[in-house]
């Protein structure tokens, strides 16, 4: 089957790529993604200055998923700008760059630097890091998010995307969609970031599993699939002129198929990529292709967004 797609008109040879944060902090990891069967790649969320992140342990697999409080470790935006300058855009897969400024002023400075470089990479601005002590997720302050978009969207000029946290209330889906609708060049929403501030405790030692924030961290993996599908579908329904990139709970072709049924135009993988490594992409391509052939679908658009309701 044909697994190709496009985001903001840019073609991807298949729907799959990494969720920002996984396998993408350093050039050697990005190179492994480039050499994998992924359909694209995205860099670790960048801040203005390099960051060490939170103390370890700060990521652990847990039953049915993972917990992390990485705290935005990254090489600083100039590293990723340099990577984007050197990137071979004749490659079949496009490059996405994730930006996660600690303030709107930092996001402005980083966006201005990327715009000045005039590169054919796409920006995904992260409004949903749950793990920096003292910095609430922008995605949960809808007025602040509107204000940030009002500043950033005209600066970016070309199509861009935002990474959203999961929402859990219909009123919030309506409010966030209303804000997104105001910005024409906001082309895609990546749904969802980790389910923030879960707590994993070891039964035997009666101890929190990760060190930062008294053990609180973002949940990912299979346990968040249904929250992710709801967010993908809620924004797909509300924003027909925009695209949704689905992320959350994909461990096989089956969950990717469900994300696309919910409306996703591409599918990112976090926890399962962290656990399995980039060979994952070859498996996912085969599994999704087999599902499509068994169901008689030849292309992604044959079933995208076509979930049935009762
Ligand atoms: O680095 C992190 O702790 C992190 C980020 Br920026 C994010 O957006 N989502 C997440 O689960 N972890």
């Amino acid at each position: 089957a044909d697994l190709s797609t496009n985001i903001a008109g840019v073609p991807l040879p298949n729907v799959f790529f990494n969720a920002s944060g996984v396998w993408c902090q350093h050039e050697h990891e990005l190179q492994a993604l480039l050499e994998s069967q992924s359909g694209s790649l995205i860099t670790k969320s960048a801040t203005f200055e390099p960051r060490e992140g939170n103390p370890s342990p700060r990521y652990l697999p847990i039953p049915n998923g993972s917990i992390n409080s990485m705290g935005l470790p990254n090489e600083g935006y100039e590293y990723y700008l340099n990577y984007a300058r050197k990137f071979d855009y004749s490659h079949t897969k496009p490059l996405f760059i994730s930006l996660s400024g600690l303030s709107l002023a930092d996001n402005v400075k980083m966006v201005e630097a990327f715009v000045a470089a005039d590169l054919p990479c796409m920006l995904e601005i992260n409004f949903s890091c749950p793990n920096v002590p003292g910095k609430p997720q922008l995605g949960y302050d809808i007025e602040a998010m509107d204000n940030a978009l009002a500043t950033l969207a005209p600066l970016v000029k070309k199509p861009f995307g935002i990474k959203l946290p999961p929402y859990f209330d219909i009123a919030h889906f309506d409010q966030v969609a209303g804000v997104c609708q105001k910005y024409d060049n906001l082309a895609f929403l990546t749904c969802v970031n980790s389910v923030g501030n879960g707590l994993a405790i070891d039964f035997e030692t009666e101890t929190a599993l990760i060190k930062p924030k008294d053990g609180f961290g973002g949940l990912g993996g299979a346990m968040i699939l249904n929250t992710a599908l709801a967010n993908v579908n809620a924004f797909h329904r509300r924003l027909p002129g925009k695209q949704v990139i689905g992320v959350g709970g994909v461990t096989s072709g089956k969950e990717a198929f469900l994300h696309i049924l919910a409306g996703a135009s591409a599918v990112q993988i976090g926890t399962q990529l962290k656990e399995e490594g980039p060979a994952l992409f070859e498996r996912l391509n085969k599994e999704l292709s087999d599902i499509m052939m068994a169901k008689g679908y030849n292309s992604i658009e044959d079933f995208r967004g076509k979930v049935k309701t009762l």
Side-chain angles (χ1 to χ4, degrees):
D2 178 4
L3 303 193
S4 68
T5 188
N6 81 84
I7 296 295
V10 176
L12 280 67
N14 68 73
V15 293
F16 296 112
F17 60 121
N18 63 305
S20 179
V22 179
W23 226 280
C24 60
Q25 184 173 343
H26 299 104
E27 285 199 33
H28 65 90
E29 297 168 292
L30 294 160
Q31 184 60 31
L33 292 177
L34 206 54
E35 291 168 6
S36 79
Q37 295 299 311
S38 75
S40 183
L41 70 168
I42 184 167
T43 55
K44 171 67 185 176
S45 284
T47 51
F48 191 72
E49 299 287 351
R51 287 172 58 87
E52 290 281 347
N54 292 337
S56 293
R58 59 189 189 178
Y59 166 91
L60 277 175
I62 57 176
N64 305 309
S66 67
I67 185 166
N68 90 82
S69 182
M70 304 301 290
L72 216 27
N74 77 93
E75 306 305 304
Y77 87 96
E78 287 177 312
Y79 179 94
Y80 304 101
L81 177 54
N82 181 50
Y83 181 79
R85 286 187 197 279
K86 292 186 306 186
F87 190 80
D88 176 8
Y89 294 96
S90 69
H91 205 286
T92 59
K93 43 180 116 174
L95 173 65
F96 289 75
I97 298 285
S98 174
L99 299 179
S100 192
L102 297 177
S103 64
L104 178 54
D106 281 2
N107 273 331
V108 167
K109 286 189 287 182
M110 292 191 289
V111 165
E112 284 176 341
F114 273 90
V115 169
D118 193 26
L119 302 166
C121 56
M122 260 188 291
L123 297 180
E124 182 188 90
I125 303 177
N126 185 359
F127 285 166
S128 47
C129 176
N131 300 330
V132 178
K135 295 279 177 190
Q137 292 160 82
L138 199 62
Y140 287 145
D141 183 340
I142 292 168
E143 215 180 281
M145 188 161 57
D146 193 358
N147 180 54
L149 285 169
T151 299
L152 296 172
L155 277 181
V156 181
K157 295 186 197 78
K158 63 182 188 172
F160 74 106
I162 56 176
K163 177 79 167 275
L164 291 174
Y167 300 95
F168 303 93
D169 194 285
I170 302 298
H172 294 161
F173 292 140
D174 290 339
Q175 289 165 18
V176 172
V179 166
C180 291
Q181 197 57 76
K182 295 165 63 176
Y183 303 97
D184 282 340
N185 63 326
L186 175 56
F188 67 92
L189 283 59
T190 303
C191 303
V192 297
N193 209 317
S194 56
V195 173
N197 293 293
L199 175 61
I201 303 172
D202 183 72
F203 174 77
E204 291 301 331
T205 65
E206 306 176 7
T207 306
L209 283 186
I210 58 172
K211 179 164 176 176
K213 293 176 62 180
D214 298 325
F216 285 57
L219 305 174
M223 70 175 93
I224 77 162
L225 173 65
N226 303 91
T227 291
L229 292 175
N231 278 261
V232 168
N233 191 57
F235 291 112
H236 170 72
R237 287 178 185 279
R238 284 166 178 74
L239 298 166
K242 301 191 189 296
Q243 291 179 295
V244 181
I245 298 178
V247 48
V250 176
T251 59
S252 74
K254 185 174 175 182
E255 297 80 28
F257 181 82
L258 298 178
H259 267 275
I260 297 163
L261 266 187
S265 292
V267 178
Q268 296 176 346
I269 326 289
T271 299
Q272 190 63 31
L273 172 59
K274 174 92 176 164
E275 293 303 311
E276 187 173 338
L280 160 77
F281 291 111
E282 186 177 350
R283 178 173 69 82
L284 291 177
N285 272 283
K286 177 167 194 320
E287 289 172 351
L288 179 57
S289 182
D290 287 350
I291 288 167
M292 287 168 60
M293 292 202 286
K295 286 178 172 277
Y297 296 130
N298 297 312
S299 75
I300 296 300
E301 293 306 311
D302 284 350
F303 63 100
R304 189 177 64 81
K306 295 186 177 165
V307 59
K308 293 176 256 187
T309 59
L310 299 177

